[in-house]
Amino acid sequence: QVQLVESGGGLVQPGGSLRLSCGVSGRRISMSALAWYRQRPGKEREFVARIRNGGNIEYTDSVKGRFNISRGKAHDTVFLQMSSLNAEDTGIYYCNAVSNFGADYWGQGTQVTVSS
């Protein structure tokens, strides 16, 4: 079994910052990519950012220039540094890992609320 556990969510004022963390543990499986998704109120889960094993990084357009994805040296931790947050960033943020064989693993999610 592979477990993903997110942390770092919370309440932040508009314009503020948060740093999300996700630890990958359990059965040791090589991951081809680590990513963050989010589900905003009343909407489907959507892609936010991804970092591939080779280091390639992708962001959804709405977070470019504001969010930064990174990973730990052992590739068993992924971070999402979020800045200039606004109300549209409110939602549950999920960590995702994809194995080299294409299997998807998900965390339970961490709530991010941007409000004054």
Side-chain angles (χ1 to χ4, degrees), residues 15-62:
S17 299
L18 277 177
R19 187 182 193 229
L20 305 183
S21 301
C22 173
V24 182
S25 63
R27 185 179 170 197
R28 295 194 64 83
I29 297 176
S30 294
M31 300 299 177
S32 64
L34 297 171
W36 288 94
Y37 287 71
R38 67 185 178 189
Q39 186 164 16
R40 295 185 284 174
K43 298 189 177 182
E44 300 285 322
R45 189 178 298 189
E46 62 181 0
F47 166 76
V48 175
R50 177 184 295 116
I51 182 165
R52 297 188 186 276
N53 208 27
N56 290 341
I57 289 175
E58 305 160 65
Y59 297 99
T60 191
D61 286 346
S62 64

Side-chain angles (χ1 to χ4, degrees), residues 30-95:
S30 294
M31 300 299 177
S32 64
L34 297 171
W36 288 94
Y37 287 71
R38 67 185 178 189
Q39 186 164 16
R40 295 185 284 174
K43 298 189 177 182
E44 300 285 322
R45 189 178 298 189
E46 62 181 0
F47 166 76
V48 175
R50 177 184 295 116
I51 182 165
R52 297 188 186 276
N53 208 27
N56 290 341
I57 289 175
E58 305 160 65
Y59 297 99
T60 191
D61 286 346
S62 64
V63 309
K64 286 179 180 177
R66 301 188 299 122
F67 289 13
N68 181 63
I69 188 171
S70 62
R71 64 189 174 195
K73 289 183 178 180
H75 295 192
D76 58 359
T77 310
V78 61
F79 306 97
L80 187 67
Q81 178 67 47
M82 306 185 293
S83 303
S84 301
L85 287 161
N86 59 63
E88 289 294 305
D89 296 313
T90 293
I92 302 172
Y93 283 69
Y94 296 92
C95 180

